[in-house]
PDB file of all heavy atoms in Angstrom:
ATOM      1  N   GLU A  36     -94.146 -84.374  10.104  1.00 97.00           N
ATOM      2  CA  GLU A  36     -93.135 -84.771  11.089  1.00 97.00           C
ATOM      3  C   GLU A  36     -93.342 -83.948  12.353  1.00 97.00           C
ATOM      4  O   GLU A  36     -93.164 -82.730  12.340  1.00 97.00           O
ATOM      5  CB  GLU A  36     -91.728 -84.577  10.536  1.00 97.00           C
ATOM      6  CG  GLU A  36     -90.648 -85.005  11.523  1.00 97.00           C
ATOM      7  CD  GLU A  36     -89.238 -84.889  10.955  1.00 97.00           C
ATOM      8  OE1 GLU A  36     -89.109 -84.796   9.721  1.00 97.00           O
ATOM      9  OE2 GLU A  36     -88.283 -84.892  11.755  1.00 97.00           O
ATOM     10  N   LEU A  37     -93.716 -84.643  13.437  1.00 97.00           N
ATOM     11  CA  LEU A  37     -93.924 -83.990  14.724  1.00 97.00           C
ATOM     12  C   LEU A  37     -92.612 -84.092  15.501  1.00 97.00           C
ATOM     13  O   LEU A  37     -92.171 -85.185  15.859  1.00 97.00           O
ATOM     14  CB  LEU A  37     -95.070 -84.665  15.477  1.00 97.00           C
ATOM     15  CG  LEU A  37     -96.384 -84.822  14.685  1.00 97.00           C
ATOM     16  CD1 LEU A  37     -97.449 -85.484  15.544  1.00 97.00           C
ATOM     17  CD2 LEU A  37     -96.866 -83.480  14.165  1.00 97.00           C
ATOM     18  N   SER A  38     -92.012 -82.960  15.762  1.00 95.00           N
ATOM     19  CA  SER A  38     -90.663 -82.938  16.314  1.00 95.00           C
ATOM     20  C   SER A  38     -90.657 -83.160  17.831  1.00 95.00           C
ATOM     21  O   SER A  38     -91.463 -82.573  18.567  1.00 95.00           O
ATOM     22  CB  SER A  38     -89.994 -81.604  15.980  1.00 95.00           C
ATOM     23  OG  SER A  38     -88.713 -81.532  16.552  1.00 95.00           O
ATOM     24  N   CYS A  39     -89.729 -84.024  18.278  1.00 96.00           N
ATOM     25  CA  CYS A  39     -89.493 -84.249  19.706  1.00 96.00           C
ATOM     26  C   CYS A  39     -88.030 -84.679  19.852  1.00 96.00           C
ATOM     27  O   CYS A  39     -87.679 -85.826  19.543  1.00 96.00           O
ATOM     28  CB  CYS A  39     -90.437 -85.315  20.250  1.00 96.00           C
ATOM     29  SG  CYS A  39     -90.243 -85.654  22.013  1.00 96.00           S
ATOM     30  N   ILE A  40     -87.169 -83.781  20.297  1.00 94.00           N
ATOM     31  CA  ILE A  40     -85.722 -84.025  20.334  1.00 94.00           C
ATOM     32  C   ILE A  40     -85.191 -83.691  21.728  1.00 94.00           C
ATOM     33  O   ILE A  40     -85.483 -82.622  22.286  1.00 94.00           O
ATOM     34  CB  ILE A  40     -84.990 -83.183  19.268  1.00 94.00           C
ATOM     35  CG1 ILE A  40     -85.515 -83.546  17.863  1.00 94.00           C
ATOM     36  CG2 ILE A  40     -83.481 -83.400  19.352  1.00 94.00           C
ATOM     37  CD1 ILE A  40     -84.954 -82.671  16.763  1.00 94.00           C
ATOM     38  N   TYR A  41     -84.416 -84.604  22.271  1.00 93.00           N
ATOM     39  CA  TYR A  41     -83.756 -84.406  23.568  1.00 93.00           C
ATOM     40  C   TYR A  41     -82.324 -84.904  23.422  1.00 93.00           C
ATOM     41  O   TYR A  41     -82.094 -86.086  23.130  1.00 93.00           O
ATOM     42  CB  TYR A  41     -84.483 -85.172  24.674  1.00 93.00           C
ATOM     43  CG  TYR A  41     -83.819 -85.086  26.023  1.00 93.00           C
ATOM     44  CD1 TYR A  41     -83.951 -83.945  26.802  1.00 93.00           C
ATOM     45  CD2 TYR A  41     -83.057 -86.150  26.510  1.00 93.00           C
ATOM     46  CE1 TYR A  41     -83.343 -83.854  28.048  1.00 93.00           C
ATOM     47  CE2 TYR A  41     -82.448 -86.071  27.758  1.00 93.00           C
ATOM     48  CZ  TYR A  41     -82.596 -84.917  28.514  1.00 93.00           C
ATOM     49  OH  TYR A  41     -81.990 -84.834  29.754  1.00 93.00           O
ATOM     50  N   THR A  42     -81.356 -84.012  23.588  1.00 85.00           N
ATOM     51  CA  THR A  42     -79.955 -84.365  23.376  1.00 85.00           C
ATOM     52  C   THR A  42     -79.341 -84.874  24.682  1.00 85.00           C
ATOM     53  O   THR A  42     -79.203 -84.113  25.650  1.00 85.00           O
ATOM     54  CB  THR A  42     -79.168 -83.153  22.861  1.00 85.00           C
ATOM     55  OG1 THR A  42     -79.801 -82.649  21.686  1.00 85.00           O
ATOM     56  CG2 THR A  42     -77.730 -83.547  22.547  1.00 85.00           C
ATOM     57  N   PRO A  43     -78.961 -86.160  24.746  1.00 81.00           N
ATOM     58  CA  PRO A  43     -78.385 -86.705  25.979  1.00 81.00           C
ATOM     59  C   PRO A  43     -76.871 -86.498  26.035  1.00 81.00           C
ATOM     60  O   PRO A  43     -76.231 -86.158  25.046  1.00 81.00           O
ATOM     61  CB  PRO A  43     -78.717 -88.194  25.861  1.00 81.00           C
ATOM     62  CG  PRO A  43     -78.661 -88.454  24.386  1.00 81.00           C
ATOM     63  CD  PRO A  43     -79.124 -87.188  23.716  1.00 81.00           C
ATOM     64  N   PHE A  47     -78.703 -93.295  24.520  1.00 92.00           N
ATOM     65  CA  PHE A  47     -79.680 -94.020  25.335  1.00 92.00           C
ATOM     66  C   PHE A  47     -79.569 -95.524  25.094  1.00 92.00           C
ATOM     67  O   PHE A  47     -79.236 -95.975  23.992  1.00 92.00           O
ATOM     68  CB  PHE A  47     -81.099 -93.556  25.020  1.00 92.00           C
ATOM     69  CG  PHE A  47     -81.413 -92.173  25.511  1.00 92.00           C
ATOM     70  CD1 PHE A  47     -81.533 -91.113  24.623  1.00 92.00           C
ATOM     71  CD2 PHE A  47     -81.596 -91.936  26.871  1.00 92.00           C
ATOM     72  CE1 PHE A  47     -81.838 -89.856  25.080  1.00 92.00           C
ATOM     73  CE2 PHE A  47     -81.902 -90.669  27.334  1.00 92.00           C
ATOM     74  CZ  PHE A  47     -82.014 -89.627  26.436  1.00 92.00           C
ATOM     75  N   LEU A  49     -81.846 -98.562  24.604  1.00 92.00           N
ATOM     76  CA  LEU A  49     -83.234 -98.615  24.161  1.00 92.00           C
ATOM     77  C   LEU A  49     -84.120 -99.453  25.071  1.00 92.00           C
ATOM     78  O   LEU A  49     -85.304 -99.143  25.241  1.00 92.00           O
ATOM     79  CB  LEU A  49     -83.301 -99.158  22.722  1.00 92.00           C
ATOM     80  CG  LEU A  49     -82.623 -98.279  21.653  1.00 92.00           C
ATOM     81  CD1 LEU A  49     -82.847 -98.865  20.273  1.00 92.00           C
ATOM     82  CD2 LEU A  49     -83.104 -96.837  21.720  1.00 92.00           C
ATOM     83  N   LEU A  52     -85.803 -97.388  27.846  1.00 94.00           N
ATOM     84  CA  LEU A  52     -86.404 -96.159  27.323  1.00 94.00           C
ATOM     85  C   LEU A  52     -87.868 -96.388  26.987  1.00 94.00           C
ATOM     86  O   LEU A  52     -88.239 -97.446  26.471  1.00 94.00           O
ATOM     87  CB  LEU A  52     -85.635 -95.717  26.072  1.00 94.00           C
ATOM     88  CG  LEU A  52     -85.881 -94.306  25.532  1.00 94.00           C
ATOM     89  CD1 LEU A  52     -85.349 -93.265  26.495  1.00 94.00           C
ATOM     90  CD2 LEU A  52     -85.215 -94.148  24.162  1.00 94.00           C
ATOM     91  N   VAL A  54     -91.146 -94.176  25.079  1.00 96.00           N
ATOM     92  CA  VAL A  54     -91.587 -92.985  24.340  1.00 96.00           C
ATOM     93  C   VAL A  54     -93.086 -93.102  24.103  1.00 96.00           C
ATOM     94  O   VAL A  54     -93.543 -94.100  23.534  1.00 96.00           O
ATOM     95  CB  VAL A  54     -90.845 -92.837  23.000  1.00 96.00           C
ATOM     96  CG1 VAL A  54     -91.312 -91.585  22.264  1.00 96.00           C
ATOM     97  CG2 VAL A  54     -89.340 -92.806  23.210  1.00 96.00           C
ATOM     98  N   TRP A  56     -96.467 -91.082  22.507  1.00 97.00           N
ATOM     99  CA  TRP A  56     -97.106 -89.991  21.768  1.00 97.00           C
ATOM    100  C   TRP A  56     -98.607 -90.109  21.995  1.00 97.00           C
ATOM    101  O   TRP A  56     -99.188 -91.185  21.800  1.00 97.00           O
ATOM    102  CB  TRP A  56     -96.804 -90.074  20.276  1.00 97.00           C
ATOM    103  CG  TRP A  56     -95.485 -89.471  19.874  1.00 97.00           C
ATOM    104  CD1 TRP A  56     -94.295 -90.110  19.707  1.00 97.00           C
ATOM    105  CD2 TRP A  56     -95.246 -88.089  19.585  1.00 97.00           C
ATOM    106  NE1 TRP A  56     -93.318 -89.231  19.336  1.00 97.00           N
ATOM    107  CE2 TRP A  56     -93.875 -87.973  19.245  1.00 97.00           C
ATOM    108  CE3 TRP A  56     -96.032 -86.941  19.597  1.00 97.00           C
ATOM    109  CZ2 TRP A  56     -93.276 -86.760  18.913  1.00 97.00           C
ATOM    110  CZ3 TRP A  56     -95.442 -85.738  19.258  1.00 97.00           C
ATOM    111  CH2 TRP A  56     -94.089 -85.643  18.922  1.00 97.00           C
ATOM    112  N   ARG A  90     -94.855 -93.622  12.487  1.00 95.00           N
ATOM    113  CA  ARG A  90     -93.515 -94.203  12.458  1.00 95.00           C
ATOM    114  C   ARG A  90     -92.583 -93.397  13.367  1.00 95.00           C
ATOM    115  O   ARG A  90     -92.673 -92.172  13.433  1.00 95.00           O
ATOM    116  CB  ARG A  90     -92.930 -94.180  11.037  1.00 95.00           C
ATOM    117  CG  ARG A  90     -93.747 -94.862   9.982  1.00 95.00           C
ATOM    118  CD  ARG A  90     -93.604 -96.372  10.026  1.00 95.00           C
ATOM    119  NE  ARG A  90     -94.230 -96.986   8.863  1.00 95.00           N
ATOM    120  CZ  ARG A  90     -95.531 -97.258   8.762  1.00 95.00           C
ATOM    121  NH1 ARG A  90     -96.344 -96.959   9.770  1.00 95.00           N
ATOM    122  NH2 ARG A  90     -96.029 -97.815   7.670  1.00 95.00           N
ATOM    123  N   LEU A  91     -91.666 -94.116  14.051  1.00 96.00           N
ATOM    124  CA  LEU A  91     -90.553 -93.491  14.758  1.00 96.00           C
ATOM    125  C   LEU A  91     -89.273 -93.728  13.970  1.00 96.00           C
ATOM    126  O   LEU A  91     -89.179 -94.696  13.198  1.00 96.00           O
ATOM    127  CB  LEU A  91     -90.399 -94.069  16.166  1.00 96.00           C
ATOM    128  CG  LEU A  91     -91.484 -93.734  17.193  1.00 96.00           C
ATOM    129  CD1 LEU A  91     -91.234 -94.491  18.493  1.00 96.00           C
ATOM    130  CD2 LEU A  91     -91.566 -92.235  17.456  1.00 96.00           C
ATOM    131  N   PHE A  92     -88.286 -92.878  14.176  1.00 95.00           N
ATOM    132  CA  PHE A  92     -86.979 -93.070  13.558  1.00 95.00           C
ATOM    133  C   PHE A  92     -86.185 -94.042  14.425  1.00 95.00           C
ATOM    134  O   PHE A  92     -85.469 -93.645  15.342  1.00 95.00           O
ATOM    135  CB  PHE A  92     -86.248 -91.736  13.415  1.00 95.00           C
ATOM    136  CG  PHE A  92     -86.932 -90.758  12.505  1.00 95.00           C
ATOM    137  CD1 PHE A  92     -87.783 -89.790  13.023  1.00 95.00           C
ATOM    138  CD2 PHE A  92     -86.729 -90.787  11.129  1.00 95.00           C
ATOM    139  CE1 PHE A  92     -88.408 -88.877  12.187  1.00 95.00           C
ATOM    140  CE2 PHE A  92     -87.348 -89.879  10.293  1.00 95.00           C
ATOM    141  CZ  PHE A  92     -88.199 -88.928  10.819  1.00 95.00           C
ATOM    142  N   GLN A  93     -86.315 -95.336  14.127  1.00 92.00           N
ATOM    143  CA  GLN A  93     -85.724 -96.370  14.973  1.00 92.00           C
ATOM    144  C   GLN A  93     -84.214 -96.215  15.109  1.00 92.00           C
ATOM    145  O   GLN A  93     -83.652 -96.480  16.174  1.00 92.00           O
ATOM    146  CB  GLN A  93     -86.058 -97.755  14.414  1.00 92.00           C
ATOM    147  CG  GLN A  93     -87.546 -98.110  14.443  1.00 92.00           C
ATOM    148  CD  GLN A  93     -88.026 -98.422  15.850  1.00 92.00           C
ATOM    149  OE1 GLN A  93     -87.246 -98.744  16.734  1.00 92.00           O
ATOM    150  NE2 GLN A  93     -89.332 -98.325  16.043  1.00 92.00           N
ATOM    151  N   ASP A  94     -83.541 -95.826  14.067  1.00 93.00           N
ATOM    152  CA  ASP A  94     -82.083 -95.716  14.094  1.00 93.00           C
ATOM    153  C   ASP A  94     -81.593 -94.434  14.757  1.00 93.00           C
ATOM    154  O   ASP A  94     -80.381 -94.236  14.885  1.00 93.00           O
ATOM    155  CB  ASP A  94     -81.534 -95.801  12.672  1.00 93.00           C
ATOM    156  CG  ASP A  94     -82.132 -94.739  11.762  1.00 93.00           C
ATOM    157  OD1 ASP A  94     -83.208 -94.215  12.088  1.00 93.00           O
ATOM    158  OD2 ASP A  94     -81.518 -94.434  10.713  1.00 93.00           O
ATOM    159  N   LYS A  95     -82.522 -93.566  15.185  1.00 94.00           N
ATOM    160  CA  LYS A  95     -82.120 -92.298  15.804  1.00 94.00           C
ATOM    161  C   LYS A  95     -82.573 -92.170  17.255  1.00 94.00           C
ATOM    162  O   LYS A  95     -82.293 -91.154  17.897  1.00 94.00           O
ATOM    163  CB  LYS A  95     -82.667 -91.119  14.986  1.00 94.00           C
ATOM    164  CG  LYS A  95     -82.139 -91.078  13.550  1.00 94.00           C
ATOM    165  CD  LYS A  95     -82.714 -89.901  12.792  1.00 94.00           C
ATOM    166  CE  LYS A  95     -82.192 -89.876  11.356  1.00 94.00           C
ATOM    167  NZ  LYS A  95     -82.769 -88.731  10.600  1.00 94.00           N
ATOM    168  N   LEU A  96     -83.285 -93.174  17.760  1.00 94.00           N
ATOM    169  CA  LEU A  96     -83.800 -93.089  19.125  1.00 94.00           C
ATOM    170  C   LEU A  96     -82.669 -92.987  20.148  1.00 94.00           C
ATOM    171  O   LEU A  96     -82.758 -92.214  21.120  1.00 94.00           O
ATOM    172  CB  LEU A  96     -84.675 -94.306  19.428  1.00 94.00           C
ATOM    173  CG  LEU A  96     -86.016 -94.385  18.682  1.00 94.00           C
ATOM    174  CD1 LEU A  96     -86.714 -95.706  18.991  1.00 94.00           C
ATOM    175  CD2 LEU A  96     -86.916 -93.214  19.072  1.00 94.00           C
ATOM    176  N   GLU A  97     -81.604 -93.749  19.962  1.00 93.00           N
ATOM    177  CA  GLU A  97     -80.510 -93.725  20.934  1.00 93.00           C
ATOM    178  C   GLU A  97     -79.798 -92.379  20.972  1.00 93.00           C
ATOM    179  O   GLU A  97     -79.106 -92.059  21.929  1.00 93.00           O
ATOM    180  CB  GLU A  97     -79.510 -94.839  20.620  1.00 93.00           C
ATOM    181  CG  GLU A  97     -78.868 -94.729  19.256  1.00 93.00           C
ATOM    182  CD  GLU A  97     -77.915 -95.874  18.966  1.00 93.00           C
ATOM    183  OE1 GLU A  97     -77.863 -96.802  19.804  1.00 93.00           O
ATOM    184  OE2 GLU A  97     -77.238 -95.842  17.918  1.00 93.00           O
ATOM    185  N   ASN A  98     -79.996 -91.578  19.914  1.00 93.00           N
ATOM    186  CA  ASN A  98     -79.400 -90.235  19.874  1.00 93.00           C
ATOM    187  C   ASN A  98     -80.348 -89.156  20.383  1.00 93.00           C
ATOM    188  O   ASN A  98     -80.028 -87.964  20.290  1.00 93.00           O
ATOM    189  CB  ASN A  98     -78.957 -89.904  18.451  1.00 93.00           C
ATOM    190  CG  ASN A  98     -77.880 -90.839  17.952  1.00 93.00           C
ATOM    191  OD1 ASN A  98     -76.991 -91.233  18.707  1.00 93.00           O
ATOM    192  ND2 ASN A  98     -77.950 -91.208  16.676  1.00 93.00           N
ATOM    193  N   GLY A  99     -81.507 -89.564  20.907  1.00 94.00           N
ATOM    194  CA  GLY A  99     -82.435 -88.597  21.495  1.00 94.00           C
ATOM    195  C   GLY A  99     -83.404 -87.972  20.512  1.00 94.00           C
ATOM    196  O   GLY A  99     -84.023 -86.943  20.810  1.00 94.00           O
ATOM    197  N   ILE A 100     -83.575 -88.567  19.319  1.00 95.00           N
ATOM    198  CA  ILE A 100     -84.540 -88.058  18.333  1.00 95.00           C
ATOM    199  C   ILE A 100     -85.776 -88.941  18.405  1.00 95.00           C
ATOM    200  O   ILE A 100     -85.761 -90.085  17.950  1.00 95.00           O
ATOM    201  CB  ILE A 100     -83.933 -88.052  16.921  1.00 95.00           C
ATOM    202  CG1 ILE A 100     -82.720 -87.137  16.886  1.00 95.00           C
ATOM    203  CG2 ILE A 100     -84.979 -87.599  15.901  1.00 95.00           C
ATOM    204  CD1 ILE A 100     -81.999 -87.110  15.556  1.00 95.00           C
ATOM    205  N   PHE A 101     -86.843 -88.404  18.977  1.00 96.00           N
ATOM    206  CA  PHE A 101     -88.082 -89.162  19.213  1.00 96.00           C
ATOM    207  C   PHE A 101     -89.236 -88.639  18.350  1.00 96.00           C
ATOM    208  O   PHE A 101     -90.408 -88.842  18.672  1.00 96.00           O
ATOM    209  CB  PHE A 101     -88.471 -89.091  20.698  1.00 96.00           C
ATOM    210  CG  PHE A 101     -87.325 -89.383  21.630  1.00 96.00           C
ATOM    211  CD1 PHE A 101     -86.816 -88.391  22.466  1.00 96.00           C
ATOM    212  CD2 PHE A 101     -86.742 -90.641  21.656  1.00 96.00           C
ATOM    213  CE1 PHE A 101     -85.760 -88.659  23.318  1.00 96.00           C
ATOM    214  CE2 PHE A 101     -85.686 -90.924  22.521  1.00 96.00           C
ATOM    215  CZ  PHE A 101     -85.181 -89.932  23.348  1.00 96.00           C
ATOM    216  N   SER A 102     -88.896 -87.960  17.271  1.00 96.00           N
ATOM    217  CA  SER A 102     -89.910 -87.361  16.395  1.00 96.00           C
ATOM    218  C   SER A 102     -90.784 -88.446  15.781  1.00 96.00           C
ATOM    219  O   SER A 102     -90.349 -89.581  15.562  1.00 96.00           O
ATOM    220  CB  SER A 102     -89.237 -86.542  15.299  1.00 96.00           C
ATOM    221  OG  SER A 102     -88.430 -85.521  15.871  1.00 96.00           O
ATOM    222  N   LEU A 103     -92.037 -88.061  15.477  1.00 97.00           N
ATOM    223  CA  LEU A 103     -93.031 -88.993  14.953  1.00 97.00           C
ATOM    224  C   LEU A 103     -93.428 -88.593  13.537  1.00 97.00           C
ATOM    225  O   LEU A 103     -93.687 -87.412  13.266  1.00 97.00           O
ATOM    226  CB  LEU A 103     -94.268 -89.002  15.847  1.00 97.00           C
ATOM    227  CG  LEU A 103     -95.398 -89.947  15.437  1.00 97.00           C
ATOM    228  CD1 LEU A 103     -94.996 -91.402  15.716  1.00 97.00           C
ATOM    229  CD2 LEU A 103     -96.690 -89.597  16.164  1.00 97.00           C
ATOM    230  N   CYS A 118     -95.428 -85.450  23.321  1.00 97.00           N
ATOM    231  CA  CYS A 118     -94.363 -86.445  23.355  1.00 97.00           C
ATOM    232  C   CYS A 118     -93.833 -86.542  24.791  1.00 97.00           C
ATOM    233  O   CYS A 118     -93.413 -85.534  25.367  1.00 97.00           O
ATOM    234  CB  CYS A 118     -93.247 -86.044  22.396  1.00 97.00           C
ATOM    235  SG  CYS A 118     -91.722 -86.993  22.553  1.00 97.00           S
ATOM    236  N   VAL A 120     -91.086 -88.722  27.181  1.00 95.00           N
ATOM    237  CA  VAL A 120     -89.936 -89.629  27.166  1.00 95.00           C
ATOM    238  C   VAL A 120     -89.581 -90.000  28.601  1.00 95.00           C
ATOM    239  O   VAL A 120     -89.391 -89.112  29.454  1.00 95.00           O
ATOM    240  CB  VAL A 120     -88.722 -88.992  26.457  1.00 95.00           C
ATOM    241  CG1 VAL A 120     -87.553 -89.973  26.421  1.00 95.00           C
ATOM    242  CG2 VAL A 120     -89.098 -88.546  25.054  1.00 95.00           C
ATOM    243  N   HIS A 131     -88.170 -85.904  29.525  1.00 94.00           N
ATOM    244  CA  HIS A 131     -88.475 -84.891  28.511  1.00 94.00           C
ATOM    245  C   HIS A 131     -89.920 -85.021  28.063  1.00 94.00           C
ATOM    246  O   HIS A 131     -90.452 -86.129  27.983  1.00 94.00           O
ATOM    247  CB  HIS A 131     -87.547 -85.064  27.291  1.00 94.00           C
ATOM    248  CG  HIS A 131     -87.784 -84.058  26.204  1.00 94.00           C
ATOM    249  ND1 HIS A 131     -87.473 -82.725  26.349  1.00 94.00           N
ATOM    250  CD2 HIS A 131     -88.299 -84.185  24.950  1.00 94.00           C
ATOM    251  CE1 HIS A 131     -87.776 -82.079  25.233  1.00 94.00           C
ATOM    252  NE2 HIS A 131     -88.279 -82.950  24.372  1.00 94.00           N
TER     253      HIS A 131
END
Side-chain angles (χ1 to χ4, degrees):
E36 181 177 343
L37 308 181
S38 177
C39 181
I40 300 174
Y41 177 78
T42 305
F47 289 108
L49 296 184
L52 193 68
V54 181
W56 277 95
R90 304 282 189 277
L91 290 175
F92 297 95
Q93 295 286 339
D94 57 339
K95 299 180 181 179
L96 291 175
E97 61 182 6
N98 297 322
I100 299 177
F101 312 114
S102 301
L103 181 72
C118 169
V120 182
H131 180 69

